[in-house]
Structure formats: structure tokens, C-alpha cells
Amino acid sequence: MEEETTMLQIKDALVSLDVVERFFLCDLDKCLGECCIEGDAGAPITEEEMATLLEQPSGAEPKSVRDKAMLELLYATGIKVSELIELNLSDVNSQIGIIHMRHSRKERIVPLYPAAVKALTNYMINVRPAIVMDEDSDNLFTN
């Protein structure tokens, strides 16, 4: 249920973009038993559409910075949303640009490209400390 809540919040924040609906939200709608765009689920998107998607969360508002970091990580790594929300602070090494994925019984090291490292570092230093409710929480992304 926690995963659905987080994904719904992402959907609400970005629902105006057709590209987001095609690229990102269709899996959410399948999980909820709905169809987001009939006949278009999983359609590939263009480089221009991807650039538009990555530019959407702009500004210095905490949620915009958080959303930018989340989208950059999803794009940079190809991880699933369920893997994204399971990430902990201890899984991130921004100095060398990697995340340590621990999902189910599998573990892997995933490299990040510079824009993802920049967005993630900005979030971790400037935003996360201000929005985290439980100071003892190791969750990377919080609401």
C-alpha cells in the first residue's frame, strides 16, 4: 500500500504530461486495475519527450527537487519504482556516482551519470533534511 501511495502522488504531480502517462504511469494503472491510455501502454517515447519529462520538475520547491532526483534516478538506472522507493541513504555513494541495489535476494551496483548524481546530491543535502519527519529514517525518498 505504501508503494501505491507514493506512485499515486507522483502521478498527481505529473498527470498533465502525455509522455508521463505513456512512459511511467501505465504500470501504475495496471497495478490499480485501470487502463491509462487504451492501446498505448508501453509505447516507446522519443528523446525529445524524455527530455521534456526530465525538465518538468523545475524550481527550488522541496517537492520539485525531490521529484527531479527521482526521475533522474529512474532514467539513469532503469530501476523500477518499487526499487526506487526501497532505496536508503546508505545505498547511495554520490562521491563515486553509484547506488547499491538490494531488491529481494538480488544485489547489484548501479552507476549513475553526472546529471543524476547532481540532482540526487542536491536533494540529499538541501531538501531531504527539511522534509523528513523521522530523523532516524534511512529512507532516501520521503513525503
Side-chain angles (χ1 to χ4, degrees):
M1 190 64 174
E2 182 179 315
E3 178 180 332
E4 288 179 5
T5 301
T6 302
M7 291 178 2
L8 281 172
Q9 290 168 342
I10 293 170
K11 181 177 180 178
D12 288 344
L14 302 173
V15 75
S16 64
L17 292 172
D18 289 338
V19 65
V20 174
E21 289 173 348
R22 286 195 351 237
F23 177 72
F24 185 65
L25 302 178
C26 288
D27 287 343
L28 169 63
D29 288 331
K30 287 177 188 174
C31 292
L32 299 177
E34 301 171 13
C35 180
C36 64
I37 301 174
E38 237 174 276
D40 204 14
I45 65 173
T46 66
E47 285 182 40
E48 182 178 294
E49 290 172 323
M50 179 52 69
T52 300
L53 173 63
L54 291 173
E55 291 169 2
Q56 286 309 304
S58 59
E61 298 85 26
K63 286 189 177 185
S64 292
V65 174
R66 182 200 62 198
D67 293 350
K68 176 77 171 171
M70 292 173 88
L71 286 173
E72 287 286 355
L73 267 180
L74 289 169
Y75 179 66
T77 63
I79 62 175
K80 301 174 187 174
V81 172
S82 60
E83 294 173 313
L84 176 78
I85 63 173
E86 289 178 5
L87 284 173
N88 293 317
L89 286 171
S90 57
D91 295 328
V92 178
N93 186 330
S94 57
Q95 299 232 325
I96 60 174
I98 62 166
I99 56 173
H100 187 181
M101 300 299 305
R102 295 178 184 101
H103 189 70
S104 300
R105 296 182 313 246
K106 299 177 184 177
E107 284 191 44
R108 65 189 190 277
I109 302 296
V110 182
L112 302 174
Y113 64 89
V117 172
K118 181 179 177 183
L120 187 56
T121 302
N122 182 33
Y123 165 74
M124 289 173 31
I125 292 172
N126 299 316
V127 173
R128 188 186 177 281
I131 65 172
V132 69
M133 300 239 183
D134 177 6
E135 292 181 15
D136 295 329
S137 173
D138 191 38
N139 295 338
L140 178 59
F141 293 106
T142 62
N143 286 326

